[in-house]
Amino acid sequence: MERLGRFTQALGLPGYEEQAAQAVAEAFREVTDQVEIGPMYNVAARMGREGPHFMVTAHQDEIGLMVLTVEEDGCLRFTTMGGVDTRILPAMPVTVYARSGPLQGIVGAKPPHLLTPADQKKAVQLKDLYIDLGLDPQTCRETVRPGDLAALTGPLVKLEDGRWAGKTLDDRACVCSMLAAAQWLKRLRAPARVSFVAASQEEVGSRGATAATWALEPDVAIVLDVTHGDCPGAGKWETFPLDKPTITIGPNVHPALGRRLKQTAQDNGIDFSLEPCGHVTYTDAEVTQVSRAGVPTVLIGVPLKYMHTTVEMVQERTITEAGRLVALFIDELARGWEEIQWY
């Protein structure tokens, strides 16, 4: 989990993934043949020289904030980048990346003692929140500019039963699954060309995966993303056990490949949950599937609790099992590529 700790602490807000991309590229250079960082900060790590071409992708960007204005008292008004739930923000520690370097701050709001009875019944709104750096107004205006990034902060914490909690596990946990898959493929010597893509800007519309799929022209796309883990109060089919990966079924997944993926898991003792989805999956699988003339796509999920917070929780073994499933699936498909019945 040392790699996971490094990945989660690297800055990677949508469109600004350079630091995260460098951390991911460094890790993949140890197990793949060629690694490059593209102009959108997509990381593409390649291995293999012959056979069908598989693209395995997980996104590397994270949700966060961006400074809009500096108020008269030196507090910062901000907007969100990606799907930030405003309910988690009050009292949140943040790091503002100003021209002079990173500055530590907190997200503040009016104390409940000063709210009217009517306001106490309302959900917190973005307009009521601000970032406080503790700077005097003049210094703050000289230091911070509109457009400066603000990242949510928090450590990676080891919990019981092989579970970990922290920020950015969506989707850096799945980047670790890709790394595990690359390590397995190196041992399997699969007759395939594989491109592992840590994609940018998923949180604002799967832009990195779109560019990568068009550029790489894969024969098959395997998408890894987190899904919702079991938690109190969730409805049936909304969440899944943390201790095993999910395999999605539905229109976003090629039916023949989906069946093969389930069979590969069963043949190799990999426990999984089925994740039915009759509409869009809100993952990069949506764009890999429809790029160019269409790419047969499958989607593997790593269940995660408390999504889009700084205490996201995952099971370590599920991360590695998802990677093993990817590697075995690629190896099996590549060795029987000419016999695949697509329909």
Side-chain angles (χ1 to χ4, degrees), residues 20 40 67 81 95 108 110 128 144 159 164 184 186 206 295-296 336:
M40 291 182 66
V67 175
M81 301 179 72
T95 302
K110 186 186 292 186
D128 300 322
V144 181
L159 303 174
W164 296 80
W184 270 95
K186 198 169 185 178
S206 293
V295 178

Side-chain angles (χ1 to χ4, degrees), residues 170-252:
D170 172 11
D171 193 30
R172 311 274 172 85
C174 290
V175 176
C176 279
S177 293
M178 290 202 305
L179 192 60
Q183 292 165 337
W184 270 95
L185 283 170
K186 198 169 185 178
R187 293 193 291 270
L188 291 169
R189 299 181 180 274
R193 295 173 293 136
V194 184
S195 297
F196 292 96
V197 177
S200 63
Q201 299 194 47
E202 188 271 350
E203 297 289 1
V204 291
S206 293
R207 297 168 186 171
T210 300
T213 313
W214 277 79
L216 294 171
E217 300 184 56
D219 297 307
V220 170
I222 302 171
V223 177
L224 289 153
D225 206 339
V226 295
T227 188
H228 294 288
D230 283 345
C231 61
K236 189 176 182 180
W237 298 113
E238 287 184 325
T239 61
F240 302 90
L242 261 64
D243 61 356
K244 51 190 171 185
T246 67
I247 294 176
T248 297
I249 53 176
N252 203 177

Side-chain angles (χ1 to χ4, degrees), residues 14-261:
Y16 299 86
E17 297 94 346
E18 181 178 7
Q19 189 181 119
Q22 294 290 351
V24 171
E26 177 186 356
F28 274 91
R29 287 190 182 102
E30 298 178 7
V31 292
T32 58
D33 302 326
Q34 179 185 359
V35 179
E36 60 185 31
I37 300 175
M40 291 182 66
Y41 299 124
N42 280 340
V43 179
R46 297 182 175 87
M47 62 192 310
R49 299 181 182 278
E50 299 178 340
H53 184 194
F54 296 83
M55 183 178 81
V56 185
T57 184
H59 73 88
Q60 62 178 323
D61 60 314
E62 62 183 301
I63 61 169
L65 312 173
M66 177 180 281
V67 175
L68 290 177
T69 61
V70 180
E71 297 282 20
E72 290 184 4
D73 64 354
C75 288
L76 310 176
R77 297 295 181 181
F78 59 88
T79 189
T80 58
M81 301 179 72
V84 179
D85 184 349
T86 55
R87 295 176 303 169
I88 73 164
L89 291 178
M92 176 70 68
V94 296
T95 302
V96 175
Y97 291 85
R99 69 184 79 182
S100 60
L103 300 169
Q104 301 308 308
I106 54 94
V107 177
K110 186 186 292 186
H113 317 69
L114 304 180
L115 296 175
T116 66
D119 286 338
Q120 290 177 1
K121 298 178 182 179
K122 297 178 181 178
V124 64
Q125 298 184 54
L126 197 63
K127 66 181 180 63
D128 300 322
L129 301 175
Y130 50 85
I131 295 172
D132 195 332
L133 298 173
L135 292 174
D136 66 84
Q138 181 176 346
T139 303
C140 193
R141 281 190 287 273
E142 293 171 351
T143 305
V144 181
R145 296 171 294 181
D148 284 346
L149 306 179
L152 310 183
T153 61
L156 182 65
V157 179
K158 189 178 191 313
L159 303 174
E160 302 302 317
D161 195 27
R163 295 185 177 186
W164 296 80
K167 62 180 285 291
T168 330
L169 291 170
D170 172 11
D171 193 30
R172 311 274 172 85
C174 290
V175 176
C176 279
S177 293
M178 290 202 305
L179 192 60
Q183 292 165 337
W184 270 95
L185 283 170
K186 198 169 185 178
R187 293 193 291 270
L188 291 169
R189 299 181 180 274
R193 295 173 293 136
V194 184
S195 297
F196 292 96
V197 177
S200 63
Q201 299 194 47
E202 188 271 350
E203 297 289 1
V204 291
S206 293
R207 297 168 186 171
T210 300
T213 313
W214 277 79
L216 294 171
E217 300 184 56
D219 297 307
V220 170
I222 302 171
V223 177
L224 289 153
D225 206 339
V226 295
T227 188
H228 294 288
D230 283 345
C231 61
K236 189 176 182 180
W237 298 113
E238 287 184 325
T239 61
F240 302 90
L242 261 64
D243 61 356
K244 51 190 171 185
T246 67
I247 294 176
T248 297
I249 53 176
N252 203 177
V253 171
H254 192 285
L257 286 187
R259 290 190 294 270
R260 292 287 294 267
L261 181 61

Side-chain angles (χ1 to χ4, degrees), residues 292-306:
R292 292 189 178 272
V295 178
T297 295
V298 294
L299 174 59
I300 298 171
V302 171
L304 170 148
K305 296 175 77 170
Y306 319 124

